[in-house]
Amino acid sequence: MKVNAYTVVPCLPEALKPLEKLAYNLRWSWDPSTLSLFQRLDRELWQESGHNPVRMLGTIKQERLNAVLQDDGFMAHLERASDDFDKYMGGVNWFKQTYGSSAALTVAYFSFEFGISEAVPIYSGGLGILAGDHIKSSSDLGLPIVGVSLLYREGYFRQYLNPDGWQQEIYPVNDFYNMPVRLLTDKDKKPLKVRVEFPGRIVTVQLWEMEVGRSKLLLMDANVPENTPEDRDMTAQLYGGDHEQRMRQEVLLGIGGIRALKAAGYKPDIYHMNEGHAAFLALERIRMIMEEQKVDFDVAAEAVRASNVFTTHTPVPAGNDSFSPATVDFYFHEFIRSLGIDMEKLLGLGRQNPYDRNEPFCMTVLALNHAAYSNGVSKLHGSVSRKMWQRVWPGTPLDEVPIGSITNGVHTSSWISQELGNLFDRYLGPDWSRNPSATALWNRADEIPDAELWRTHERRRERLVAFARKRLKKQLVQRGAPESEIMASDEVLDPDALTIGFARRFALYKRGTLLLRDATRLKKLLTDKDRPIQIIFAGKAHPADTMAKDIIRELVHFMRDPAIRRRVLFIEDYDMNVARYLMQGVDVWLNTPRRPLEASGTSGMKAAANGALNLSILDGWWCEGYAPNTGFAIGQGEEWEDLNQQDEIESAALYNILEKEVIPEFYDRAADGLPRAWIHRMKGAIQHLCAGFNANRMVNDYISGPYIGAASAGIKLAADSLAGAKELCEWKKRMRQNWNAVQLVDLKTPTDKEVLVGKELPIQATIRLGAIQPTEVRVEAYFGELNYKGEITNATAATLAFDSVSDGVCLFKGSITCSTSGRFGFGLRVLPAHESLVSQFESKLIYWA
């Protein structure tokens, strides 16, 4: 039977039409007024719809709509929300004010997942939430940006636990026609589609668009009649399927995403790859430039590299997607014909050693090789990333590997509770949400009366306990638990007790059971009659990670001890909604990763913005955020080889901090019942962490650094039919052809090996350059302190200036400033120099004398 499809849309009275405008733009997810408007429309239906206003408007009864038409209060609220939305969308914004309305800076932000709201479940965890916060803050700042991703029919899995505590997965189907996304259409009102070549067939995707304030998300959906059942499943699940499915999805994201942008009429200046999943976009951009400009692969690659930005999130090699040469050959055997290169060259672009045929093809390496700017997501992670990927730039000192860092931040308005937001409005002023990076605003937190801050926080803890009890009851009913156990759920947790939250993706390195290492000691803390603690756990394990699932199972079994059953709880199916309740209601946010495996860890930032105190290993962002008045640190940043010893020592340190610092400070009350020292530390967290660890600051860092730099470089190389790219490409080829001729002939320094502090150490280097001109190189003295191995540390480079040339040999002169005493050393190096190089190590040519 042929099915004739048609779409039914909500039917709203004319006066309520603004509700549809507000529902289809996800600004409601961080605007308290719009959020409360939809809750006011029908609070019960708001919960039943999964906080999805589009579904809500499609199912609400006409009688209720007729009733609110007669409700003057509701209609006035609707008018205010609609006017405020229009003002937000059309008003002057920070980006225009700062860079001018003609600034050439439109960003295409590619990510495998986006966490905007629980109403659109196309995210799994930290990477997606970070991408969502990036898009939201870009909207607030007015940065023109379009996100690019896949629209997953089933999204990430929903979690529940069986009676034994073992994680089970279910995959409910998303109904896109009842979600705040719209199908894009062409001039004939037909779905807008693009096609991507796969081995032996064409895969078609239709395009959807999501509005996120001023920002847009462009989403690809392969579930169309033109595709085979297997190909229709290409966008079925996030992080589902096997290695082949991952390759297919990454081809679709990178290559299909570039074609989707073109089909939808976007012309980005910058292409930002959020993790290596999208790295194939570089190949498609190269192909398009080759086709349009009639240039070869190398010239097109120069133009593409200049305007690409790459952010890496994964601090372990195994977490970076890699594919066998055979897999790459299968999927790109035909595609490379359009690039004019052979398979070995393509494979080399994804290898740290391009000539090692046994090395797999790594998406991170492909991204690093095709991005002018690359960064980690915290200062420590930047350092870890430089060490991981140093071999991509042979001969480059570790500290100079061209991978920087931009520490993550969170979209403050999306995560702070409305009660605390109201408190901030009164004492910090309303600009805290519009300009969350303004340090002076957050310093006013001292002006919040202790009693008001504490009562606000207590109400949020009470709300968390009520929410947790409700979720537990639901879990027990679904599990078929005895009626007595279901009834007892109403007594779980104490709204007045010190509440600790541990919620994140479950993986071995996050050590979800570190707190259980000394169960007897922990039980004593949980059951203390006068100063008890209670812990709420939440989080998912990847469906294929059986060891992580076993951690969850171990937690569940521990909780079944009758003595502690009321004090420990696991909330199933962790999502953005659960996260908000936890981060807004807990007193302490616990984080126990193995340093340095936590790249950033934004959940702790969200908790801190709500006044919760972080109790964490000094890893990721907490290395930068920790101070004695902002929270608690476990250890001093040590890194261990003996993991069992590490667990033993750090778990003991965790218990000691709880027993000697956290618990006494929380329960030490003044005569008025307030924990003054605790409140002082809460204010310290708000004052010192909110301004630095928010997504507005993060996006501004991207704008002022990589984005402006990449846009400028891209425009420069693309001008005059790629004249700059052609010249740079030819120059690099000439450098590679002649680099072996570079040779140190003589090096002169004073024979006296002792230099007085404050004096200069003169250096003269005579270098043979062959066909290379002295203006095409940078000669440097690379100097620093010597360690016990005789290695240079804390190095600095001093440039030697060209002096003269004689018989093809060039003389360079310079000096080293001796500012402190000690044992020092230097080495001489020669690097290619060109005005269009973003990094002096970009050419991967370096001569060490």
Side-chain angles (χ1 to χ4, degrees), residues 654-729:
L654 172 56
Y655 295 128
N656 287 336
I657 294 170
L658 285 171
E659 293 168 347
K660 298 177 182 179
E661 297 182 59
V662 176
I663 296 173
E665 189 170 296
F666 180 85
Y667 284 105
D668 183 13
R669 305 297 168 96
D672 56 6
L674 298 177
R676 296 285 183 178
W678 189 275
I679 296 170
H680 177 74
R681 208 184 291 251
M682 287 175 67
K683 290 182 178 180
I686 293 168
Q687 285 177 303
H688 299 291
L689 301 179
C690 287
F693 297 98
N694 69 79
N696 280 40
R697 185 275 311 156
M698 175 187 72
V699 172
N700 193 5
D701 285 353
Y702 277 106
I703 293 172
S704 61
Y707 288 176
I708 292 291
S712 176
I715 291 170
K716 181 179 179 181
L717 294 190
D720 299 324
S721 301
L722 299 176
K726 292 173 183 176
E727 191 275 330
L728 180 60
C729 182

Side-chain angles (χ1 to χ4, degrees), residues 501-718:
F502 182 98
R504 52 192 35 84
R505 177 173 62 90
F506 273 83
L508 286 180
Y509 81 87
K510 292 181 183 286
R511 296 190 294 179
T513 53
L514 185 68
L515 195 57
L516 274 59
R517 194 168 178 89
D518 187 339
T520 302
R521 195 171 178 182
L522 176 59
K523 288 179 182 178
K524 185 178 179 181
L525 297 178
L526 292 166
T527 57
D528 189 299
K529 292 182 179 179
D530 299 317
R531 304 188 308 177
I533 68 170
Q534 56 194 15
I535 311 169
I536 302 176
F537 290 93
K540 298 176 179 179
H542 187 278
D545 192 345
T546 56
M547 289 186 287
K549 288 183 178 182
D550 202 53
I551 292 174
I552 295 175
R553 180 177 176 273
E554 183 181 347
L555 283 172
V556 172
H557 279 249
F558 172 77
M559 297 170 191
R560 289 178 176 168
D561 185 332
I564 62 169
R565 183 170 288 183
R566 293 181 60 242
R567 297 294 185 194
V568 192
L569 173 64
F570 187 96
I571 297 180
E572 297 175 11
D573 201 28
Y574 187 46
D575 65 1
M576 293 178 73
N577 184 45
V578 175
R580 280 191 295 271
Y581 275 101
L582 284 168
M583 293 159 186
Q584 295 169 7
V586 299
D587 302 293
V588 173
W589 193 257
L590 178 64
N591 191 26
T592 54
R594 293 193 193 281
R595 178 187 165 110
L597 301 183
E598 182 87 303
S600 179
T602 54
S603 62
M605 302 176 191
K606 298 160 193 163
N610 279 288
L613 302 182
N614 278 267
L615 170 55
S616 175
I617 298 290
L618 286 169
D619 197 8
W621 81 284
W622 195 231
C623 299
E624 303 166 49
Y626 169 71
N629 67 329
T630 62
F632 307 93
I634 304 168
Q636 297 179 338
E638 302 90 346
E639 295 177 20
W640 303 75
E641 292 185 5
D642 186 329
L643 301 185
N644 187 62
Q645 183 184 30
Q646 177 184 12
D647 289 350
E648 189 68 30
I649 291 173
E650 291 183 342
S651 64
L654 172 56
Y655 295 128
N656 287 336
I657 294 170
L658 285 171
E659 293 168 347
K660 298 177 182 179
E661 297 182 59
V662 176
I663 296 173
E665 189 170 296
F666 180 85
Y667 284 105
D668 183 13
R669 305 297 168 96
D672 56 6
L674 298 177
R676 296 285 183 178
W678 189 275
I679 296 170
H680 177 74
R681 208 184 291 251
M682 287 175 67
K683 290 182 178 180
I686 293 168
Q687 285 177 303
H688 299 291
L689 301 179
C690 287
F693 297 98
N694 69 79
N696 280 40
R697 185 275 311 156
M698 175 187 72
V699 172
N700 193 5
D701 285 353
Y702 277 106
I703 293 172
S704 61
Y707 288 176
I708 292 291
S712 176
I715 291 170
K716 181 179 179 181
L717 294 190

Side-chain angles (χ1 to χ4, degrees), residues 13-265:
E14 190 63 32
L16 296 179
K17 284 290 186 183
L19 283 172
E20 186 174 355
K21 171 185 69 176
L22 296 173
Y24 272 96
N25 189 307
L26 277 96
R27 179 176 176 262
W28 56 258
S29 67
W30 74 88
D31 180 60
S33 177
T34 312
L35 201 61
S36 63
L37 177 71
F38 285 116
Q39 292 171 334
R40 182 175 182 174
L41 181 62
D42 191 321
R43 189 168 296 275
E44 186 175 332
L45 188 56
W46 173 255
Q47 297 296 335
E48 291 176 1
S49 69
H51 304 167
N52 179 353
V54 174
R55 178 179 293 278
M56 183 179 172
L57 294 180
T59 56
I60 194 168
K61 293 181 179 179
Q62 200 66 38
E63 294 85 349
R64 177 55 184 159
L65 295 177
N66 293 334
V68 298
L69 282 170
Q70 307 306 316
D71 185 338
D72 291 342
F74 180 88
M75 296 306 294
H77 189 170
L78 174 58
E79 184 177 1
R80 288 194 306 271
S82 180
D83 289 347
D84 187 58
F85 174 81
D86 293 339
K87 182 180 178 181
Y88 175 89
M89 295 296 291
V92 176
N93 59 67
W94 173 88
F95 182 76
K96 286 182 179 179
Q97 288 179 323
T98 306
Y99 293 98
S101 58
S102 61
L105 192 63
T106 299
V107 181
Y109 185 93
F110 285 67
S111 182
F112 228 20
E113 49 175 306
F114 280 90
I116 307 294
S117 162
E118 62 271 21
V120 189
I122 56 171
Y123 64 92
S124 72
L127 180 73
I129 303 299
L130 181 278
D133 282 6
H134 193 112
I135 291 291
K136 291 175 183 177
S137 281
S138 296
S139 169
D140 288 344
L141 293 171
L143 171 68
I145 192 168
V146 54
V148 182
S149 192
L150 307 182
L151 188 58
Y152 302 97
R153 188 170 70 250
E154 299 170 7
Y156 202 50
F157 70 90
R158 304 290 299 273
Q159 176 200 54
Y160 71 97
L161 305 182
N162 70 13
D164 190 44
W166 192 256
Q167 174 181 289
Q168 306 289 299
E169 299 90 26
I170 53 175
Y171 292 87
V173 174
N174 288 324
D175 180 3
F176 303 150
Y177 292 95
N178 275 309
M179 290 167 58
V181 296
R182 282 195 170 104
L183 187 65
L184 290 181
T185 56
D186 60 21
K187 60 182 180 180
D188 298 319
K189 303 300 181 182
K190 294 181 180 179
L192 187 61
K193 298 179 179 180
V194 297
R195 306 200 311 166
V196 180
E197 299 82 8
F198 280 82
R201 83 272 192 199
I202 302 292
V203 172
T204 300
V205 292
Q206 61 185 0
L207 307 182
W208 299 74
E209 186 177 72
M210 184 192 304
E211 297 182 8
V212 187
R214 299 182 182 104
S215 305
K216 299 288 182 64
L217 276 186
L218 188 60
L219 303 165
M220 292 173 283
D221 168 24
N223 186 29
V224 296
E226 295 95 317
N227 295 332
T228 65
E230 181 186 20
D231 288 338
R232 294 177 74 155
D233 284 343
M234 204 176 291
T235 55
Q237 296 177 2
L238 171 61
Y239 303 130
D242 56 15
H243 216 52
E244 289 279 327
Q245 179 76 329
R246 178 64 62 88
M247 167 62 91
R248 289 190 287 266
Q249 288 183 329
E250 294 188 352
V251 168
L252 201 60
L253 176 63
I255 295 176
I258 294 296
R259 297 180 186 181
L261 285 168
K262 184 178 180 180

